[in-house]
């Protein structure tokens, strides 16, 4: 997740800034939850729950149905449009609007 995506998702939650900072360390900066939790004097469970809530908010903001997952894939240039079309078709099939 990049910083802009994180900020957008975090803004929809009621977490304290301290908890958001920990979730950012994990989701954006790539830190291990246990390390970020120790640094911020939180339990790893608290931080994992915060990460889970931010991910759920991010999914909801993208209009994804429950159970769907976001994936990042690297493909050769000639397959990029094919992969995008698979995503668009899945959204259409689920009755969602397509960008």
């Amino acid at each position: 997740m990049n910083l802009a995506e994180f900020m957008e998702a975090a803004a929809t939650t009621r977490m304290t800034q301290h908890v958001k900072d920990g979730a950012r360390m994990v989701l954006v900066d790539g830190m291990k939850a246990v390390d970020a939790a120790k640094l911020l004097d939180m339990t790893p469970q608290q931080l994992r729950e915060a990460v889970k809530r931010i991910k759920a908010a991010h999914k909801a903001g993208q209009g994804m149905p429950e159970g769907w997952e976001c994936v990042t894939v690297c493909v050769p240039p000639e397959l990029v449009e094919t992969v995008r079309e698979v995503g668009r078709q899945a959204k259409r099939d689920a009755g969602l609007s397509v960008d």
Side-chain angles (χ1 to χ4, degrees):
M1 179 179 297
N2 66 40
L3 182 58
E5 291 168 330
F6 175 84
M7 297 300 287
E8 187 175 319
T12 67
T13 71
R14 294 171 52 130
M15 290 185 230
T16 65
Q17 188 59 50
H18 182 74
V19 174
K20 288 178 185 178
D21 289 344
R24 180 193 42 78
M25 289 176 176
V26 173
L27 292 168
V28 177
D29 302 337
M31 230 176 163
K32 290 183 180 180
V34 68
D35 296 334
K38 188 179 289 186
L39 187 65
L40 295 173
D41 197 28
M42 300 171 66
T43 67
Q45 293 95 333
Q46 287 173 311
L47 190 49
R48 281 192 284 274
E49 183 58 34
V51 166
K52 184 178 171 182
R53 287 178 57 202
I54 295 286
K55 285 181 175 181
H58 177 63
K59 265 185 167 179
Q62 292 183 319
M64 280 197 280
E66 187 67 32
W68 282 34
E69 293 187 35
C70 284
V71 296
T72 301
V73 297
C74 297
V75 296
E78 63 271 12
L79 293 178
V80 170
E81 191 52 38
T82 301
V83 172
R84 286 184 178 144
E85 182 53 33
V86 168
R88 287 191 295 266
Q89 186 60 50
K91 283 186 170 185
R92 283 192 289 273
D93 292 347
L96 301 173
S97 63
V98 179
D99 303 344

